[in-house]
Amino acid sequence: MPATRTWLKNPLAIFTSNELDARGGLVVQDGVIVEVLAAGQQPSAPCNEVFDAREHVILPGLINTHHHFYQTLTRAWAPVVNQPLFPWLKTLYPVWARLTPEKLALATKVALAELLLSGCTTAADHHYLFPDGLENAIDVQVDTVRELGMRAMLTRGSMSLGEKDGGLPPQQTVQEGQVILDDSQRLIHEYHERGDGAQIQIALAPCSPFSVTPEIMSASADLANKLDVRLHTHLAETLDEEDFCLQRFGLRTVDYLDSVGWLGPRTWLAHGIHFNPDEIARLGQAGTGICHCPSSNMRLASGICPSIELTDAGALFGLGVDGSASNDASNMILEARQALYIQRLRYGAEKITPERVLGWATKGSASLLGRTDIGEIAVGKQADLALFKLDELRFSGSHDPISALLLCGADRADRVMIGGKWRVVDGQVEGLDLKGLISDHSQAARQLIAGT
């Protein structure tokens, strides 16, 4: 049986995240982009499927590089609406400690479905909660990712420094170091896929300087080097965190990162707000990545990530929505809009263009995950695509389609393709009972808060 060749023909506009002219569209075969067509070009061979994209703006699938899927259960919870990071965490930890496998599965499905509808095709999750009964949290997430047909970098997070030893998390949420390392190794061997087209990947992700010991940071770095996987953690999110590092370790955040063997190209960091010029230069020289989470940083009043200094220094740079208890939404196209606006406050309108920000959300984010097969539209790349229509009232009167996505506030993709397969059609996730999911998830959220 001949392979299906699909021509996505003559889009309204197309952003490739590179310099290619793709105004004629692109051809997909066996899940991969096999032709990129300039304006007026035709495919080199017949296509047995043609999708007329004249009403669509085509982007590479957006890539979310930092999230906490489980937090969709604690969105807009009144006791933490007006709290900064440390009090926010201490209020929420006891609630999160009641998480169960069933609730995590629902929370993960909601986060992924919401991301998918926003044009996101690959998501990194940072899961660091393993209370009694939830030892197989990452396995639960793997099943949900496969069900929705997305790609994911599932990071095996950890917390080993509890309140009794001077950390922030309550004792029921921390684990012994050997338990963490043994499970990390199991997950890598069981699930981590390598090479182009990988669906599930695993990284190691001790939570933060204020919730893990230096020993687990160093041991995780050693294991990541040995098994060739990536490293992820929160760093330099708030000045409270900086003070904690100075008081506990006698080191600023980047010095601490270096002391435990994490300053290198294997590492990407969530937030990265409070760096001095020397630290930015060191991060750039090391090829370390930074995930900018603008909505969360605004919600918790943490600060503004120094994007231009970091990228000029050579640091890799991408975007993430962060957890849904500090952003409250899991929407990548809206996150790109927030990045555009908050970064313009810091650098001005001329430097922060829609194209630059969309590059962060695609090719930049792919680089944080160590992937070269996604994040742009080019021959040989995975056919991961997000298609948006501009036919709603909010877009009426707009002239530049690429800019309109961000400036006019696009929030939902009309179609999403992953590996050549349509996962969203006419704004709906294929095969998903959305009403049923909302009902079940809302009930689980109420139960989690109530402790029932």
Side-chain angles (χ1 to χ4, degrees):
M1 185 171 151
T4 299
R5 282 172 54 87
T6 302
W7 179 17
L8 282 72
K9 180 181 178 182
N10 298 336
L12 175 65
I14 186 164
F15 174 79
T16 58
S17 206
N18 52 47
E19 300 303 315
L20 294 174
D21 178 359
R23 288 175 292 171
L26 55 120
V27 179
V28 173
Q29 185 174 320
D30 296 327
V32 175
I33 298 168
V34 295
E35 292 187 64
V36 174
L37 305 172
Q41 272 191 317
Q42 298 281 317
S44 61
C47 294
N48 41 14
E49 288 185 4
V50 177
F51 178 80
D52 186 347
R54 63 181 148 182
E55 295 183 353
H56 291 86
V57 181
I58 301 180
L59 307 180
L62 304 178
I63 300 169
N64 170 35
T65 57
H66 184 66
H67 206 321
H68 308 290
F69 294 160
Y70 75 89
Q71 289 183 12
T72 58
L73 294 162
T74 51
R75 298 202 239 219
W77 186 42
V80 295
V81 164
N82 302 314
Q83 288 184 328
L85 180 66
F86 275 24
W88 175 89
L89 279 170
K90 288 183 77 71
T91 307
L92 279 163
Y93 276 142
V95 176
W96 292 337
R98 300 193 285 260
L99 200 60
T100 64
E102 296 75 21
K103 288 182 174 64
L104 176 61
L106 286 167
T108 299
K109 188 178 283 193
V110 163
L112 288 171
E114 192 178 358
L115 286 166
L116 190 52
L117 288 167
S118 75
C120 176
T121 53
T122 301
D125 189 57
H126 189 180
H127 187 87
Y128 50 79
L129 276 169
F130 297 85
D132 288 348
L134 197 60
E135 291 82 4
N136 291 328
I138 306 301
D139 305 77
V140 169
Q141 294 187 313
V142 167
D143 290 343
T144 307
V145 171
R146 287 175 173 165
E147 183 183 344
L148 289 180
M150 293 180 71
R151 303 187 201 276
M153 173 73 84
L154 299 173
T155 74
R156 205 300 181 181
S158 53
M159 297 197 293
S160 60
L161 185 68
E163 283 177 316
K164 77 175 178 64
D165 298 313
L168 253 66
Q171 288 306 122
Q172 70 264 38
T173 63
V174 302
Q175 290 181 300
E176 294 295 325
Q178 197 57 50
V179 171
I180 293 164
L181 295 170
D182 287 348
D183 192 49
S184 297
Q185 192 152 334
R186 175 187 72 83
L187 290 165
I188 293 164
H189 287 311
E190 195 157 337
Y191 296 119
H192 184 69
E193 301 172 22
R194 302 181 187 275
D196 289 358
Q199 182 180 21
I200 305 285
Q201 295 190 312
I202 303 292
L204 305 185
C207 184
S208 61
F210 49 82
S211 60
V212 294
T213 60
E215 290 77 16
I216 202 65
M217 289 289 285
S218 296
S220 295
D222 290 344
L223 186 59
N225 284 324
K226 177 185 171 187
L227 299 180
D228 189 24
V229 296
R230 298 185 82 75
L231 290 164
H232 183 52
T233 193
H234 299 94
L235 199 79
E237 182 176 0
T238 66
L239 293 173
D240 285 346
E241 180 194 323
E242 186 178 297
D243 292 341
F244 181 94
C245 287
L246 286 167
Q247 289 168 20
R248 188 169 183 93
F249 311 121
L251 299 168
R252 285 177 56 83
T253 53
V254 174
D255 290 325
Y256 174 68
L257 199 71
D258 199 5
S259 75
V260 291
W262 276 59
L263 192 59
R266 197 178 293 282
T267 299
W268 89 100
L269 308 168
H271 303 295
I273 297 168
H274 299 286
F275 296 132
N276 64 32
D278 174 64
E279 291 164 341
I280 288 171
R282 290 168 66 194
L283 290 162
Q285 287 161 8
T288 298
I290 307 293
C291 170
H292 178 32
C293 303
S295 295
S296 175
N297 297 161
M298 295 161 80
R299 151 90 195 258
L300 296 173
S302 301
I304 304 175
C305 179
S307 63
I308 300 299
E309 288 91 340
L310 284 162
T311 52
D312 284 353
L316 306 178
F317 198 81
L319 297 184
V321 301
D322 202 6
S324 294
S326 67
N327 174 343
D328 304 279
S330 305
N331 190 306
M332 267 303 288
I333 192 68
L334 285 181
E335 200 64 27
R337 186 179 200 239
Q338 292 284 51
L340 178 80
Y341 288 148
I342 196 171
Q343 291 295 325
R344 282 189 171 191
L345 278 181
R346 187 169 187 130
Y347 299 106
E350 299 90 348
K351 281 191 175 181
I352 308 296
T353 64
E355 289 80 6
R356 184 173 209 157
V357 173
L358 288 171
W360 291 342
T362 53
K363 193 174 181 178
S365 283
S367 73
L368 295 192
L369 304 185
R371 297 194 66 155
T372 57
D373 61 327
I374 57 175
E376 58 182 313
I377 292 172
V379 171
K381 305 298 181 183
Q382 296 296 304
D384 292 6
L385 306 166
L387 284 69
F388 294 83
K389 280 188 169 183
L390 305 183
D391 57 356
E392 294 179 67
L393 186 63
R394 75 186 79 184
F395 301 109
S396 182
S398 64
H399 299 275
D400 174 36
I402 301 292
S403 298
L405 288 178
L406 300 190
L407 299 182
C408 301
D411 64 357
R412 190 160 179 148
D414 179 62
R415 281 181 171 252
V416 177
M417 176 182 281
I418 303 176
K421 295 179 180 177
W422 292 115
R423 297 296 183 183
V424 173
V425 174
D426 297 332
Q428 304 296 320
V429 179
E430 290 283 271
L432 181 66
D433 175 10
L434 196 58
K435 284 186 177 178
L437 176 60
I438 291 169
S439 175
D440 292 345
H441 179 264
S442 298
Q443 182 180 4
R446 290 191 294 271
Q447 290 171 343
L448 188 69
I449 294 295
T452 57

